Amino acid sequence: MEQLKELIMKGNAKETVERVRKLLEGGSDPGGLLQEVMIPAMDEVGDLFQKGEYFVPEMLVAARAMQQGLTVLKPRLVASGIEPIGKVIIGTVKGDLHDIGKNLAVMALEGAGFEVIDLGTDVAPERFIDAIKEHKPQVIGMSALLTTTMLAMKDTIKAIEDAGIRGQIKIMIGGAPIRQEFCDEVGADFFAPDSTAGRNYARNVVTGEA
Amino acid sequence: MDIARTLLKMKAPGERKPDFERFRRAITTNEPGPVTVGDIFADFETVGNLLNEPVMDYLKLAEDPDLKITFKDLWSGYKYVSQTIRFCCLTGWDYAFAFSAIPFKGVSVQISENTSSEVEDGKRGWLNDNQGPIMSWDDFERYPWPSNIKAINAVSRTMAKRVPDGMKVMVIPGGVFEWTTWLMGLVPFSYALADQPDLVDAVIDKVNGLIHQVVEDIMSEPKVGGIFMGEDLGFFSGTFVSPKVLREKFLPRTKEIVDLTHEAGGVFVLHSCGNMYAVMDDIIEIGVDAKHSFEDKIMPVEEAHEKWGDRIGIIGGVEMDVIAQGTEEQVRTRTRKILEACASKGRYVLGTGNSVANYVPQRNYLAMLDEGRKWNLENFGREY
Ligand code: B12
C-alpha cells in the first residue's frame, strides 16, 4: 500500500497500474485503496505543490499516474457501489482559452474523489447554466487568465442568478488576475489562489463546512 | 496624433531627445535622476491607437513561415518600423522595441475575439499547452528548423538603421524556456522531463543555438542597444518547473546569451512573469542587467526593488489589473507610490506590470507617463 502511494506521488504511471492490479488480485478492498491510499497520495501531492515543493511537471505526472490507476480501479468501485464524494462543474470562461490552470484544478478535484464535469475553455454562460441543470453539481469552478477575460465571470454569475439557480450551488473562481476583491465584487463564494485551495473548498462544501 | 502629442506634451518632435545611455544608466547604476520609461513592448493595437493609424500585426507574419508575403505586407512591414519608432519617441522611451521572433513552424496560436465591453481591447492569441510540434524523437528529427538568421533579424536591423540619434533598439528574440515549452507544449514537455529527458535536452540545444545565432548577428548592429528577453519562468505559486531544473537545464543557456550581449557592449533585460523569485539570485548572478514584469498579487515591485534594487535594474510594476481597469486616479496613485519607493533610489525604469497590452486604455497609459513627468519636475525641476 505504502508502495502504491509512493508510486503515485512519484508519478510512475506504469508501475502504479501494475500495483493496483496486483493489490486487487490479492484481495484488497477497492474502496479502501481509493480512500486510504490513492486519495491521500494526491492530497500530499497537492499540499507539496501548494508549499512550493512540487511544480507543474510533478503535479502532472502524479495526476497521470492517479488517472491510469483509477482506470483499473473504476469498474471495481462501480461494482461495489462506491460513489464520488460530490460533483463539480468547471470551465474557463467565455473569450478565454487558457486551459492548464483549469486542468490542474480538475486533477486536484478528481484526485480527491470528486466527479468533475469539465466544460473546457471559452464556455458561455448558457453552457454553465445548462450543465448545472443537467448535472446538479454542488460546486461550479471558473477560470480566467487576464483582467479583460475575467470580466466574463461577472456575466456568468449574473446569468446564473437570472436563471434562478444561484442558490443551488457554490461558485469558486481562480486564475492569474483574480483577487479577493474581485471575488467579492462579482459575488462568487470563493477565490482559489491555487488548485489545492479549490480542492479544499469543494471538500468543505460537500461536508457542509462551507 | 495631435491629441496624443498634446497629452504627451510633445508639441514638436525633438522636444525630448531619446537617449539610450540614460536607459543604460537607469538600469545599471543607482545614480539619482529623472525617471525614464519603457516596457518589453506595446501591442500593435496600442501603437495604432496612439498614432491613430492602422499598424500591421507583424508577428502574425513571423509565426507562419509559409505565409505568402504580398507587396502590401512588405509596405505595411516597412511602415511598421517607423510606427514603432514614433510610438517609442512620443511616449518617451529611450529605445525602440523590435521582435526577432524565430518562426518556429507549428507553434500554433489560436486567435479569439475580444469579449469584454469594459476595457478597450483587441484580439486575443492563445497557445495550446496540451500539444506542440515536437513531442517525440520522430517529430524532432523531421522538424524544419528555421535557418535564415538574416530574415529573422530583418525588422530589428531595419529599425536599428532608422532610429533617431540617441535612440537604440532593444531586440526581443524570445527565451530558451519559453520556446522549448511552446515547441513541445507545456504538458507534453512536463511528461518528457520525466519520460524522455534527452529529448528535452535536444530541443533546448537547438533552440538555444538559434537564439545564440540571432543575438550574435543582431548585436553586430551599432544601434542595437541590447536584448530584452521574454522568458516567463513562473506563475502565481512559483516557477513552472523546479529551480533545480531551471538551474541545470535553462539558466546556464541564458547566461550564454547574457555574456554574448555584454561582449557586444549591450545590456540584457529579462522579462519574466510570475513567481520566479526562487531563482532571482541566480538571475542576478548570471549577469542580467534588469528584470521586467511584476504583479502586485505575487510581489509588488516596491518589495522587489527593496530586496534586489541595489544589484539589478527593476523595470515596470504598475499592476496590469490597475492600469487595465482602474480609474486614471488609481493609476496615478499606484504610479506615484512606486516612484517614491523605487525611482527615488535609482536603478528603476517606469513601466507597466507586463506590457502595454491592447486592453490597457490609452488614457491610463498616458496617466502613468504623465505622473512620471510630474514626479521628475517636482524632484529634479525638469520633466525628463
Ligand atoms: C503563460 C502565460 C502566458 C502565455 C499564455 C498561455 C496560453 N494558454 O495561451 C502567453 C505567453 C501566450 C501569454 C500571453 C499574454 N499574457 Co500572459 N501570462 C502567462 C503567465 C506567465 C502564466 C500563466 C500560466 O500558464 N500559469 C500556469 C497555470 C498552472 O496557473 P494558473 O492558470 O494561474 O492556474 C493555477 C491557479 O490560478 C488555479 N486556478 C486557475 N483557474 C482555476 C479555476 C478554479 C475553479 C480553481 C479552483 C483554481 C484555478 O489553479 C492552477 C494551479 O494552482 C502569467 C503570469 C501568472 N502570474 O500566472 C502571465 C499573465 C497571465 N499574462 C499577462 C499578460 C498581460 C499577457 C498578454 C496580454 C501580454 C501581451 N501584451 O501580449 C498576452 C495575452 C495573451 C492573449 N490570450 O491575448 C498578465 C495578465 C495581467 C492581467 N491582470 O490581465 C499576467 C498575469 C502576467 C503579468 N505580468 O501581469 N501569457
Side-chain angles (χ1 to χ4, degrees):
Chain A
M1 297 264 213
E2 262 313 297
Q3 208 183 347
L4 174 59
K5 190 172 171 194
E6 188 92 327
L7 288 170
I8 294 175
M9 288 183 63
K10 289 241 164 76
N12 193 332
K14 228 168 111 196
E15 286 184 39
T16 299
V17 169
E18 278 164 26
R19 193 80 206 137
V20 172
R21 248 191 215 123
K22 271 215 183 95
L23 286 165
L24 288 174
E25 277 164 16
S28 291
D29 162 42
L33 272 188
L34 181 70
Q35 301 297 345
E36 282 148 40
V37 187
M38 297 174 75
I39 289 177
M42 281 310 284
D43 265 2
E44 225 165 291
V45 167
D47 294 344
L48 287 169
F49 177 69
Q50 194 170 45
K51 273 195 252 163
E53 287 171 38
Y54 263 29
F55 300 85
V56 173
E58 286 84 352
M59 272 284 277
L60 287 171
V61 292
R64 181 177 63 175
M66 176 76 174
Q67 269 160 2
Q68 295 190 9
L70 276 177
T71 319
V72 181
L73 196 66
K74 264 232 171 97
R76 297 288 301 273
L77 287 173
V78 174
S80 22
I82 291 166
E83 298 270 322
I85 63 164
K87 232 187 244 184
V88 181
I89 288 179
I90 197 165
T92 300
V93 292
K94 189 169 163 55
D96 196 311
L97 270 55
H98 182 64
D99 207 17
I100 191 166
K102 179 226 7 131
N103 289 349
L104 287 179
V106 172
M107 289 167 203
L109 289 161
E110 285 181 340
F114 281 92
E115 179 186 349
V116 183
I117 294 121
D118 182 355
L119 302 179
T121 61
D122 194 17
V123 181
E126 311 81 63
R127 287 195 47 218
F128 275 106
I129 293 171
D130 291 346
I132 297 169
K133 288 181 177 161
E134 185 186 340
H135 299 284
K136 310 217 172 336
Q138 290 94 345
V139 182
I140 297 293
M142 288 189 246
S143 179
L145 183 77
L146 308 168
T147 288
T148 178
T149 54
M150 76 179 183
L151 299 173
M153 290 178 172
K154 199 169 169 178
D155 304 339
T156 310
I157 295 175
K158 169 103 184 23
I160 291 173
E161 273 163 10
D162 292 348
I165 49 178
R166 176 70 180 90
Q168 301 168 20
I169 47 156
K170 294 282 187 189
I171 299 179
M172 62 178 176
I173 60 176
I178 314 294
R179 282 184 285 181
Q180 189 57 48
E181 298 82 16
F182 179 75
C183 176
D184 299 340
E185 186 193 316
V186 298
D189 297 299
F190 184 70
F191 155 53
D194 54 46
S195 42
T196 310
R199 172 202 77 188
N200 294 345
Y201 176 72
R203 263 193 185 139
N204 290 344
V205 171
V206 295
T207 56
E209 286 163 54
Chain B
M1 174 86 160
D2 288 340
I3 299 172
R5 277 232 176 93
T6 317
L7 280 167
L8 291 161
K9 295 202 174 181
M10 287 187 177
K11 282 141 254 155
E15 186 171 307
R16 177 199 188 273
K17 287 225 176 337
D19 176 7
F20 187 77
E21 293 315 309
R22 174 169 39 204
F23 174 70
R24 188 198 297 270
R25 245 190 339 268
I27 59 172
T28 55
T29 76
N30 284 86
E31 270 173 42
V35 70
T36 178
V37 300
D39 270 296
I40 181 168
F41 61 79
D43 277 344
F44 74 95
E45 296 98 331
T46 306
V47 175
N49 198 11
L50 187 97
L51 300 179
N52 202 14
E53 54 191 79
V55 173
M56 86 178 303
D57 181 1
Y58 144 76
L59 268 187
K60 237 168 99 193
L61 287 184
E63 272 153 14
D64 186 354
D66 293 337
L67 203 76
K68 254 185 85 197
I69 297 181
T70 62
F71 181 74
K72 193 169 157 262
D73 289 333
L74 277 179
W75 173 237
S76 314
Y78 184 72
K79 265 184 28 186
Y80 168 89
V81 168
S82 76
Q83 288 169 322
T84 306
I85 295 172
R86 271 189 289 144
F87 174 88
C88 293
C89 283
L90 277 171
T91 48
W93 300 23
D94 288 314
Y95 56 91
F97 63 89
F99 295 98
S100 281
I102 308 175
F104 286 115
K105 197 174 162 63
V107 174
S108 59
V109 177
Q110 218 180 323
I111 307 292
S112 68
E113 290 296 327
N114 155 42
T115 46
S116 154
S117 53
E118 292 192 26
V119 272
E120 290 171 30
D121 208 349
K123 287 200 162 60
R124 315 247 60 85
W126 308 90
L127 281 170
N128 188 341
D129 285 329
N130 301 314
Q131 63 178 71
I134 306 182
M135 296 192 287
S136 65
W137 274 109
D138 218 30
D139 295 338
F140 178 84
E141 262 131 35
R142 274 188 304 203
Y143 192 74
W145 296 98
S147 56
N148 192 345
I149 304 298
K150 294 283 177 210
I152 294 168
N153 277 330
V155 170
S156 302
R157 181 158 273 121
T158 310
M159 205 172 292
K161 305 231 184 273
R162 292 183 57 188
V163 281
D165 276 352
M167 185 172 250
K168 286 197 178 185
V169 176
M170 287 296 284
V171 173
I172 309 165
V176 61
F177 180 79
E178 278 201 352
W179 278 127
T180 301
T181 51
W182 296 1
L183 273 167
M184 300 186 79
L186 183 58
V187 175
F189 159 85
S190 296
Y191 293 148
L193 269 182
D195 305 340
Q196 35 186 355
D198 48 345
L199 176 62
V200 174
D201 290 339
V203 177
I204 290 175
D205 276 346
K206 276 283 189 188
V207 167
N208 207 57
L210 276 161
I211 298 176
H212 196 290
Q213 288 179 58
V214 167
V215 170
E216 192 165 43
D217 175 57
I218 202 63
M219 284 309 301
S220 66
E221 277 297 321
K223 285 208 164 178
V224 167
I227 297 299
F228 213 128
M229 180 177 276
E231 178 79 321
D232 292 347
L233 297 176
F235 65 113
F236 171 67
S237 318
T239 46
F240 284 104
V241 299
S242 68
K244 182 167 174 278
V245 169
L246 286 177
R247 282 177 195 129
E248 272 169 22
K249 293 190 188 293
F250 294 98
L251 296 177
R253 309 304 219 288
T254 306
K255 182 175 187 306
E256 269 177 44
I257 311 296
V258 175
D259 291 345
L260 194 60
T261 310
H262 284 161
E263 279 156 26
V267 294
F268 187 98
V269 181
L270 187 79
H271 163 100
S272 191
C273 292
N275 186 347
M276 43 62 73
Y277 298 111
V279 292
M280 191 68 179
D281 285 331
D282 303 73
I283 299 293
I284 295 171
E285 252 153 53
I286 64 173
V288 170
D289 294 299
K291 150 89 163 77
H292 178 248
S293 185
F294 295 92
E295 295 162 57
D296 282 355
K297 195 173 133 182
I298 296 173
M299 185 188 290
V301 67
E302 295 94 321
E303 202 181 319
H305 194 273
E306 174 74 34
K307 279 197 167 121
W308 298 290
D310 53 342
R311 295 158 69 203
I312 188 169
I314 300 287
I315 306 179
V318 177
E319 166 60 41
M320 289 303 286
D321 203 52
V322 174
I323 201 162
Q325 62 161 357
T327 62
E328 222 181 287
E329 220 27 64
Q330 285 167 323
V331 173
R332 284 183 187 276
T333 310
R334 186 74 197 93
T335 305
R336 179 55 67 139
K337 231 183 115 220
I338 293 172
L339 289 170
E340 243 121 61
C342 307
S344 61
K345 299 199 200 95
R347 274 221 181 158
Y348 178 74
V349 169
L350 179 60
T352 72
N354 175 277
S355 56
V356 201
N358 54 16
Y359 59 91
V360 171
Q362 192 184 91
R363 61 179 181 282
N364 280 356
Y365 185 58
L366 295 182
M368 182 197 90
L369 296 176
D370 188 55
E371 204 54 36
R373 282 194 303 268
K374 271 194 179 152
W375 186 83
N376 286 344
L377 196 61
E378 286 163 24
N379 289 279
F380 301 95
R382 57 198 159 101
E383 290 191 330
Y384 308 110

